[in-house]
Amino acid sequence: MPRSLVTGGAGFLGSHLCEYLLKKGHQVIAMDNLLTGTVGNIEHLQSEDFQFIKHDVTEYIYIAGAVDYIWHFASPASPLDYMQLPIHTLKVGAMGTHKALGLALQKKASFLLASTSEVYGDPLVHPQQETYWGNVNPVGPRGVYDEAKRFGEALTMAYHRHNHVDTKIVRIFNTYGPRMRPKDGRAIPTFIPQALNGDPLTVFGDGHQTRSFCYVADLIDGIYRLMMSEYHQPVNIGNPHEMTIRQIADLIIDLIKSPSKIIKKPLPVDDPKVRQPDIKLAKELLGWEPQFPIKDGLEKTIDWFAAVLGPKSNTSKNK
Ligand code: UDP
C-alpha cells in the first residue's frame, strides 16, 4: 500500500487530495499547522489508513517509517491570507519546501510541489505557457507569495538535478469548490455567500480583469496524474475557460436567483489583469483536461455553501 504525506492536508486543496488518495488505496498522513486549514475539512476521513499530524513544516519534519509520495501543499493561498501572513507565507514557501524536500531525499519519496499561476505575475503573455518566465513585482504585497513559490520551484529543481529526487511541479490556476473558507477573500467564496445572503457582491476595480476557474475535482485528478508521470518540469493545471470577474459575479447571482446587486471596490495592488492557462502540455503528457463546466462546478459549490452557512442564506426561498 503506497504511503503519502500531504502537507497542508487540512486545507482546501490538501483535504480534497487526501480524500482522493485514500480512494486510490494510499495510506495518508495529513500534516498541517491549522493556520488557514481546519480539522473540520478532514474529520470525515478518519480511518485506519488516515492520520493527522499537527505540525508547522517550516520546522524539521519527522515521520516514522516509509513514505512513498510527498505532496507539498502547505501555504496560505488567498491574497487576503498571504497579505495578512506575509512572513509565514515566505517561510513556508522557502523553509517549508526545504524541509519537505529534505524528507523526500531521506525517504526516497517522489515529491510534488504545489506551485501557482502567480509565478507568471501580471502576465505579458496570454494565455500563459509553462515556458513563460513571468512578470512579478518582487517587492509588492503579492511578492511574498509569488517569490516564495518561485524560490520553491528553484529549490525543487535543485533537489532534482543535484540530489536526484523524483520531483514534479504543478502550477495551479484559480480553483474553486466545497471547503473554501467563506472569509478567505477570494472571488468565488466571497461572492457565493454574498449572493446567498442577498448582500451586494464586491467586485474589485471595473471587473474586466479575467480569471479561468477550475473545479477542484478536475484539478486533483490532473495533479495525481502528474505525480505518477515521469515529467520533472512545471506543468499548468487549470481550466482555460476565461471569464471576467464581473461575468463570474453575474453568473453566481443568476444561478442562485439572488436579488443581490454588484458594488465596486478598489482593485488591490498588482492584481493581475488577465490569467488563462495554456494546458496543451497537460493534455499531451497526462491525457488530462477539465471535465466540469463552470456552471456545474458552481452549482455544487453553491449547494455546499448553502448547507454550511445554514438557513440564514436565502437560497431555498429563491431556488
Ligand atoms: N475579486 C473581486 N472581489 C472579491 C474578491 C476578489 O472582484 O471580493 C477579484 C480580484 O481582484 C481578482 C479576482 O477577483 O481580480 C480573483 O481574485 P482571487 O482573490 O479569487 O484570486 P487571484 O486570482 O487574484 O489570486
Side-chain angles (χ1 to χ4, degrees):
M1 204 176 191
R3 193 156 181 247
S4 275
L5 169 69
V6 180
T7 75
F12 164 50
L13 295 181
S15 66
H16 282 279
L17 177 61
C18 288
E19 193 169 326
Y20 188 90
L21 292 172
L22 287 166
K23 282 192 191 132
K24 288 276 180 189
H26 288 225
Q27 279 186 348
V28 177
I29 306 162
M31 184 170 276
D32 206 301
N33 65 355
L34 303 180
L35 199 59
T36 57
T38 105
V39 171
N41 285 340
I42 49 174
E43 264 165 358
H44 66 293
L45 301 179
Q46 293 312 324
S47 74
E48 59 183 22
D49 292 327
F50 182 75
Q51 186 189 352
F52 172 64
I53 302 175
K54 184 169 184 292
H55 180 70
D56 181 336
V57 294
T58 64
E59 307 285 343
Y60 186 87
I61 306 171
Y62 175 77
I63 303 279
V67 178
D68 303 297
Y69 299 100
I70 298 174
W71 314 73
H72 182 44
F73 277 66
S75 178
S78 87
L80 188 66
D81 285 339
Y82 54 72
M83 287 184 210
Q84 283 172 352
L85 300 165
I87 317 270
H88 287 87
T89 303
L90 282 158
K91 280 177 73 179
V92 73
M95 293 147 73
T97 305
H98 186 217
K99 297 288 179 289
L101 279 162
L103 183 72
L105 177 63
Q106 195 206 358
K107 300 284 185 184
K108 298 187 171 37
S110 296
F111 174 92
L112 181 138
L113 173 70
S115 186
T116 169
S117 55
E118 283 281 324
V119 301
Y120 302 122
D122 190 4
L124 305 175
V125 168
H126 192 69
Q128 293 77 54
Q129 285 187 337
E130 290 85 350
T131 47
Y132 177 48
W133 292 350
N135 178 40
V136 171
N137 174 4
V139 294
R142 295 177 88 102
V144 296
Y145 184 66
D146 304 7
E147 295 296 4
K149 290 291 185 182
R150 288 167 69 99
F151 175 84
E153 289 197 3
L155 193 63
T156 300
M157 290 310 295
Y159 266 73
H160 175 62
R161 293 196 181 105
H162 192 73
N163 288 334
H164 311 291
V165 175
D166 175 33
T167 62
K168 318 287 152 70
I169 298 173
V170 58
R171 290 188 178 147
I172 299 172
F173 282 66
N174 293 69
T175 305
Y176 67 98
R179 296 191 211 133
M180 293 186 98
R181 279 154 42 232
K183 292 201 174 3
D184 92 351
R186 282 182 278 194
I188 289 181
T190 302
F191 292 160
I192 292 177
Q194 288 170 337
L196 287 171
N197 288 322
D199 297 333
L201 273 63
T202 49
V203 168
F204 297 163
D206 60 12
H208 291 160
Q209 69 273 31
T210 69
R211 295 293 186 272
S212 308
F213 291 98
C214 185
Y215 187 61
V216 62
D218 280 332
L219 184 96
I220 299 296
D221 173 40
I223 285 174
Y224 182 83
R225 290 177 192 226
L226 177 60
M227 177 64 112
M228 299 305 154
S229 79
E230 301 290 318
Y231 192 76
H232 304 293
Q233 296 288 325
V235 179
N236 291 338
I237 298 282
N239 191 322
H241 179 75
E242 186 182 14
M243 296 174 78
T244 68
I245 293 304
R246 174 67 200 234
Q247 283 172 331
I248 197 93
D250 287 339
L251 178 59
I252 288 170
I253 288 175
D254 196 41
L255 290 174
I256 293 176
K257 299 189 175 44
S258 167
S260 292
K261 303 275 177 267
I262 305 272
I263 52 164
K264 291 189 177 167
K265 295 268 182 183
L267 191 68
V269 177
D270 294 335
D271 197 278
K273 285 178 273 306
V274 291
R275 188 182 285 155
Q276 184 192 31
D278 182 323
I279 59 164
K280 190 164 169 277
L281 183 60
K283 277 187 188 164
E284 284 173 8
L285 195 71
L286 312 173
W288 174 85
E289 64 183 309
Q291 304 297 318
F292 286 88
I294 183 82
K295 199 167 155 287
D296 296 6
L298 279 179
E299 275 168 354
K300 287 178 186 295
T301 310
I302 290 166
D303 287 348
W304 183 84
F305 272 98
V308 167
L309 297 175
K312 230 179 77 195
S313 68
N314 62 3
T315 21
S316 43
K317 81 169 180 263
N318 285 330
K319 250 189 175 168

